[in-house]
Structures are given as C-alpha cells and as structure tokens.
Amino acid sequence: MDNNKKTENEPRAILGDKELLKSDMTKEQKIFAAHVESLRNKIAKLQFEIDELMPSLRSYEQSFINSTKEKAEEILEENSEITEGGK
C-alpha cells in the first residue's frame, strides 16, 4: 500500500498517451523530459500572449482599412468636384 501511494504522488513525464515515472528514467531521459516540459510551458505562455494580441492587431488592421477607404472617398469626391466644375 505504501509503495502504491509513493507511485501515485511521484513526479511523472507525459509523452503522447504514456506517463513515465521519473524514477524509472535514465539521467538523459530526465534531461529530455525537463526540456519537453519547459518548451511546452513556453509555448503555452506564448500562445496565451498571441491570443491577447490578436484582437489588438485586428483592430489596428480594421482602422487602417477604414482610413484607406476614407482617403479613397475624399479623392473620389475631389475628382468629382473638379469634373463638375469644368463643365
């Protein structure tokens, strides 16, 4: 029973659909597992930041599109006034 409790609380590495006890790993495997865990954490953090940034990017893109439409409409109006005035 004590041995079972020990393995329940023991640190593990998850690789695909497998869980491996760190105590069963070689030194090299522990290093690889630490890198995998670190990279997963970094990717999750960066994905969170991307999720935060995307709405701001979309907003600036839309503002940029709107400003180009406004400028295009101004130019069209100016050209229309020039054409009408010349008749």
Side-chain angles (χ1 to χ4, degrees):
M1 192 94 161
D2 288 337
N3 192 27
N4 195 21
K5 278 192 172 191
K6 180 186 174 205
T7 58
E8 284 179 20
N9 297 326
E10 190 175 342
R12 301 166 189 272
I14 298 171
L15 189 58
D17 61 347
K18 296 186 190 310
E19 282 190 14
L20 304 166
L21 295 175
K22 288 195 177 181
S23 63
D24 292 339
M25 294 181 205
T26 65
K27 183 178 178 181
E28 183 182 44
Q29 290 170 333
K30 289 177 185 176
I31 292 169
F32 290 144
H35 282 289
V36 167
E37 183 177 355
S38 173
L39 290 166
R40 285 179 179 160
N41 289 337
K42 287 176 184 177
I43 289 169
K45 181 180 182 278
L46 290 171
Q47 186 61 55
F48 180 81
E49 290 180 26
I50 289 169
D51 292 344
E52 278 188 315
L53 292 170
M54 287 307 294
S56 292
L57 173 60
R58 287 188 202 105
S59 176
Y60 280 108
E61 287 174 335
Q62 191 59 51
S63 295
F64 181 43
I65 290 167
N66 292 343
S67 74
T68 59
K69 286 179 182 176
E70 290 170 10
K71 186 64 177 171
E73 288 171 1
E74 286 175 22
I75 292 170
L76 288 174
E77 284 178 19
E78 287 173 9
N79 288 340
S80 176
E81 289 172 5
I82 291 171
T83 305
E84 289 175 9
K87 284 187 177 178

